Amino acid sequence: MNGSLILVADDSQEIRRFIEENVLVPAGYTVRSVGDGMSAFTLAHEIKPDLLITDQQMPNLTGIELIQRLRRDLPHLPAVLITSEGSEWLVVEAMRAGAVDYLTKPFEAEHLLAAVGRALAERHRWQSLVEAQSEAQISAESLARRLHELEALAQIGRTVTALLNLDEVLTTVVEAAVRLTGAEEGSLLLIDEDSGELYMRASKNFDEEFARSFRLHVRDSLAGQVIASGRSVIIDESSPQKIKTSYLVHSLIYVPLRLRGRMIGVLGVDNRTAGHALTDQDMTVMSAMADYAAIAIENAQLYRRSEVERSKLETILTQTENSVIVVDPDDRLLLINRAARQVFGVDGKLIGRSVVETFEDAKLLKLLCTKGNLPRREEVQVPDGRVFSAQRTPIEGVGQAIVFHDITHLKQLDQIKSEFVTTVSHDLRSPLTAILGYLELIERAGSVNEQQGEFIRRAQISVKQITDLVNDLLELGRVEAGLDIAKEDTPLVVLARYAIEGLRGAAEYKGVTLEVDLPNAVPLVNGDPVRLRQMIGNLLDNAIKYTPQGGKVRVVVEAEGDQVIMRVSDTGPGIPPADQPYLFDKFFRASNVPDDMPGTGLGLSIVKSIVDNHGGRIWVDSKLGDGTTFTVILQAVDT
Ligand code: ADP
């Protein structure tokens, strides 16, 4: 190959000159020649030629010996041997020694050039092979290292998520950083929010006492610069002077610790003595480590916060005077607080036990074992006579919680009130009945003139009105208190049919047509049948009462999604828009009601209270002269 450097060793100056001047230089090679083996050996080490051409017979060192010796130090140097005798033995020896070719004197220039060309081509191939091999080795090594790093990173990742102890996680991170970068020591510095100083939260290979007492002001330190800029630094041992951190080091890497975009510290590794160099790749690995550390710190903070919340909640639930029971979707106890244990007289290891094995009260069991979104309430009486209102709330992903409110006192009040109401109603109704009776007797007792008869009728109407008012007031009081409500899964359609049958006579008498659309397939609602029937009855009664002869009243019940809708419409006079907002107020009567139309103005208040007690909604659509529609919406029972 042109330009290649060839070392020629021959004790004959004539041959040296021939080879150099007549053959090799004209062919474009650079040539150095010597006259003996030892000089060739020394020069070869110095100039590292691409090819050696050596004569076999030379003083001190023969050509074969020279090739043999050089092979040890310059294994890739090809050699061509020139001999004066072409014996087979010599050829074998030359090849064994490492010669790639040989020429027997006398030889022609072109033979030498051909041998040189072959040897150099061989060397070139060899060299490419060696380079490829060493490249392959380098990439295999870097691949192995990368793999090792990735494995270590994955390991740290697993540790970070598995360990809840922050000290352990951070120490693991620092140790891994030191191991992966091959540094001498490592540290994780965090900012102390109060003092603004950096302290050593975790370390590897630092003196324990030093690590504990380590304090560094953020502003004047290299770590502080990293925190301020948010950028990692790498300083290696080629730096002219030692780096002052708070101790002297030759090389170091600092990467910032970022928590939700805020710098909270640095992760660092360093070498105090000159040695293993730190690289950019080490910095990349360290950044990943810093991320893990930040995640661990965040996890620990979240865990600490949730622990505080959890124990707060547990204390509240345990200490609260209300009884609380939480069950999972398989009706097993997740929590039963102290108050609930006392109330239900249960004790021992209850968590995880089935509620069926724990409680006996049928109403409580029904509530505990009910599924679905519909919140439900039950009154539960416990053996010591106390009465609780139990409210069930489904909790997504947990099960359901039942909170018990002691309503014994309210129950007693209700009892007293009921007794009072019964007494009052009896005391008021009795004289009213007597008045009515005597009014009737007047006519029978003797003849009354027309005017007297009219007075008697008016007195009768007034007594009837007072009786209605007393009844409605008592009724409203009971409904509003809402305590005597006994809810069960009830078919609204059936209640509507009963209500219609009860008022069919009144409608026929008045000449009003009743139309119904009450399909059986409508789902049940959870409610008090007596109150719901009363609610439908009041709406229907009004519709018939206010609709003139020849008009129509229509009752429809239907299901929509998880709701049951009831509509009571009529073709009556309608309600003035200005009056509509006050329709459900006590004693309110619309301005278009004729004076002689009987009524107390309490019917719709009772209706509204009943709907409210059942968690439903009611509204009116009405147009003067066109009729009125009352719509009631109740939640359907989950099936
Ligand atoms: P009342 O005893 O007067 O019927 P309600 O509370 O039942 O008392 O009704 C309040 C008022 O609402 C009534 O006085 C009437 O003005 C109006 N109203 C109720 N239902 C109807 C209806 N179907 N058509 C027209 N007006 C009605």
Side-chain angles (χ1 to χ4, degrees):
M1 244 140 257
N2 283 3
S4 297
L5 176 61
I6 300 174
L7 174 63
V8 178
D10 200 309
D11 55 347
S12 152
Q13 195 186 5
E14 207 179 321
I15 293 193
R16 283 205 311 270
R17 195 174 297 148
F18 166 71
I19 292 176
E20 187 176 342
E21 290 172 13
N22 296 347
V23 184
L24 297 180
V25 173
Y29 296 109
T30 311
V31 180
R32 295 290 298 273
S33 54
V34 288
D36 66 287
M38 278 318 285
S39 311
F41 182 76
T42 315
L43 192 62
H45 279 90
E46 207 177 289
I47 64 170
K48 307 241 166 22
D50 298 309
L51 175 66
L52 168 72
I53 299 173
T54 175
D55 186 26
Q56 162 64 358
Q57 263 133 21
M58 287 187 298
N60 304 333
L61 212 59
T62 67
I64 288 180
E65 283 165 351
L66 173 65
I67 294 169
Q68 265 169 345
R69 282 201 194 180
L70 279 177
R71 201 177 170 194
R72 255 176 269 140
D73 304 331
L74 304 168
H76 309 309
L77 174 64
V80 173
L81 187 76
I82 300 172
T83 64
S84 30
E85 41 160 330
S87 81
E88 204 174 299
W89 171 85
L90 200 67
V91 171
V92 172
E93 277 305 294
M95 293 304 165
R96 269 192 197 143
V100 294
D101 215 336
Y102 81 97
L103 293 169
T104 316
K105 289 179 192 164
F107 54 83
E108 287 173 27
E110 61 191 72
H111 287 145
L112 178 63
L113 278 178
V116 166
R118 275 197 304 276
L120 283 175
E122 183 66 19
R123 177 188 154 82
H124 182 68
R125 260 203 309 281
W126 176 251
Q127 225 164 16
S128 317
L129 202 68
V130 167
E131 273 164 19
Q133 235 175 11
S134 77
E135 261 170 35
Q137 198 172 344
I138 288 165
S139 34
E141 273 166 15
S142 84
L143 212 64
R145 179 169 175 214
R146 189 89 193 97
L147 209 68
H148 179 63
E149 281 169 5
L150 287 175
E151 266 171 23
L153 282 175
Q155 171 68 30
I156 303 291
R158 280 196 293 274
T159 316
V160 166
T161 43
L163 290 177
L164 278 176
N165 182 332
L166 187 60
D167 286 336
E168 233 176 292
V169 178
L170 297 182
T171 308
T172 312
V173 166
V174 176
E175 279 173 358
V178 168
R179 197 173 64 243
L180 288 175
T181 55
E184 285 172 26
E185 52 193 20
S187 58
L188 192 138
L189 310 179
L190 290 185
I191 303 175
D192 179 343
E193 298 282 347
D194 297 331
S195 65
E197 287 177 327
L198 284 165
Y199 66 99
M200 213 175 264
R201 183 70 170 75
S203 65
K204 170 79 179 162
N205 296 342
F206 273 96
D207 175 65
E208 222 173 275
E209 186 49 44
F210 175 81
R212 204 171 317 123
S213 58
F214 178 92
R215 286 271 157 178
L216 193 62
H217 210 281
V218 180
R219 256 174 297 156
D220 338 311
S221 64
L222 187 61
Q225 284 171 28
V226 173
I227 288 171
S229 68
R231 276 198 298 273
S232 309
V233 291
I234 176 165
I235 298 178
D236 64 24
E237 56 191 12
S238 60
S239 309
Q241 78 269 14
K242 288 188 172 187
I243 304 139
K244 192 166 179 292
T245 47
S246 82
Y247 45 93
L248 295 175
V249 296
H250 270 273
S251 53
L252 73 72
I253 292 178
Y254 271 156
V255 291
L257 279 180
R258 227 179 240 107
L259 194 66
R260 297 177 180 274
R262 200 166 54 88
M263 304 300 153
I264 57 159
V266 292
L267 174 66
V269 291
D270 61 69
N271 292 312
R272 292 201 194 209
T273 53
H276 172 78
L278 295 169
T279 63
D280 284 347
Q281 196 170 340
D282 291 331
M283 197 159 75
T284 313
V285 171
M286 295 267 300
S287 292
M289 295 289 178
D291 288 346
Y292 280 137
I295 291 168
I297 290 168
E298 175 154 39
N299 279 353
Q301 283 178 353
L302 290 175
Y303 180 72
R304 214 174 22 242
R305 233 175 282 154
S306 71
E307 264 302 287
V308 170
E309 289 305 315
R310 199 188 63 79
S311 73
K312 240 196 265 174
L313 202 69
E314 199 174 87
T315 316
I316 292 168
L317 282 177
T318 318
Q319 301 297 325
T320 184
E321 290 196 0
N322 282 337
S323 303
V324 181
I325 296 177
V326 183
V327 293
D328 70 11
D330 298 324
D331 304 332
R332 294 189 176 277
L333 282 168
L334 286 176
L335 182 144
I336 171 162
N337 72 350
R338 204 185 44 200
R341 284 168 196 260
Q342 278 169 2
V343 165
F344 294 103
V346 289
D347 225 331
K349 247 183 131 274
L350 297 173
I351 303 308
R353 234 168 70 183
S354 155
V355 292
V356 186
E357 293 165 18
T358 317
F359 304 105
E360 283 171 6
D361 189 279
K363 276 187 172 175
L364 175 62
L365 284 176
K366 190 174 160 216
L367 193 65
L368 286 171
C369 301
T370 305
K371 302 283 181 308
N373 291 326
L374 186 69
R376 299 188 50 156
R377 192 179 288 147
E378 281 287 357
E379 268 180 30
V380 180
Q381 184 151 23
V382 296
D384 67 7
R386 281 185 290 169
V387 183
F388 289 88
S389 166
Q391 171 82 43
R392 181 180 74 94
T393 314
I395 307 170
E396 188 78 29
V398 176
Q400 44 198 353
I402 293 95
V403 180
F404 300 79
H405 297 279
D406 190 342
I407 55 164
T408 316
H409 182 60
L410 292 175
K411 274 291 192 191
Q412 284 164 351
L413 276 182
D414 186 48
Q415 179 74 22
I416 294 165
K417 199 197 77 184
S418 297
E419 281 163 13
F420 173 75
V421 163
T422 317
T423 316
V424 170
S425 63
H426 179 263
D427 289 357
L428 275 176
R429 274 189 209 155
S430 302
L432 286 171
T433 317
I435 294 169
L436 267 183
Y438 283 116
L439 284 172
E440 259 176 50
L441 283 179
I442 292 174
E443 284 179 321
R444 286 195 213 155
S447 61
V448 285
N449 63 27
E450 206 176 304
Q451 199 181 26
Q452 286 169 329
E454 178 58 26
F455 290 162
I456 290 171
R457 256 191 316 283
R458 285 198 197 164
Q460 279 174 328
I461 289 171
S462 294
V463 172
K464 169 98 175 38
Q465 275 176 354
I466 296 171
T467 313
D468 286 350
L469 192 63
V470 168
N471 287 343
D472 278 359
L473 265 178
L474 293 177
E475 216 37 47
L476 185 61
R478 295 189 67 77
V479 172
E480 279 185 339
L483 289 169
D484 60 347
I485 270 191
K487 288 186 188 170
E488 58 189 70
D489 293 349
T490 308
L492 203 64
V493 169
V494 174
L495 296 182
R497 278 190 203 128
Y498 285 147
I500 286 158
E501 285 322 307
L503 289 165
R504 193 173 287 285
E508 275 168 13
Y509 178 76
K510 220 188 145 182
V512 171
T513 316
L514 276 183
E515 283 179 4
V516 295
D517 185 358
L518 303 168
N520 281 329
V522 175
L524 306 178
V525 296
N526 186 256
D528 182 331
V530 177
R531 291 291 173 215
L532 290 176
R533 154 109 201 245
Q534 187 181 13
M535 179 265 291
I536 304 170
N538 278 8
L539 291 174
L540 205 56
D541 190 36
N542 275 349
I544 296 168
K545 185 166 75 176
Y546 291 108
T547 303
Q549 192 181 12
K552 264 193 239 161
V553 170
R554 185 174 163 76
V555 182
V556 178
V557 177
E558 60 187 0
E560 211 178 283
D562 56 356
Q563 295 177 320
V564 174
I565 301 173
M566 184 183 76
R567 289 192 188 87
V568 178
S569 344
D570 61 56
T571 56
I575 302 160
D579 290 343
Q580 290 180 16
Y582 310 105
L583 224 50
F584 298 102
D585 290 356
K586 284 187 195 98
F587 303 111
F588 184 84
R589 307 198 73 196
S591 51
N592 61 341
V593 175
D595 285 344
D596 59 348
M597 179 71 78
T600 61
L602 289 173
L604 285 182
S605 302
I606 294 174
V607 166
K608 175 82 165 67
S609 281
I610 294 175
V611 173
D612 285 349
N613 280 344
H614 286 78
R617 284 186 298 137
I618 181 167
W619 69 89
V620 64
D621 294 298
S622 183
K623 210 168 156 209
L624 262 185
D626 262 9
T628 304
T629 298
F630 283 91
T631 307
V632 175
I633 291 194
L634 294 170
Q635 181 76 36
V637 172
D638 281 359
T639 41

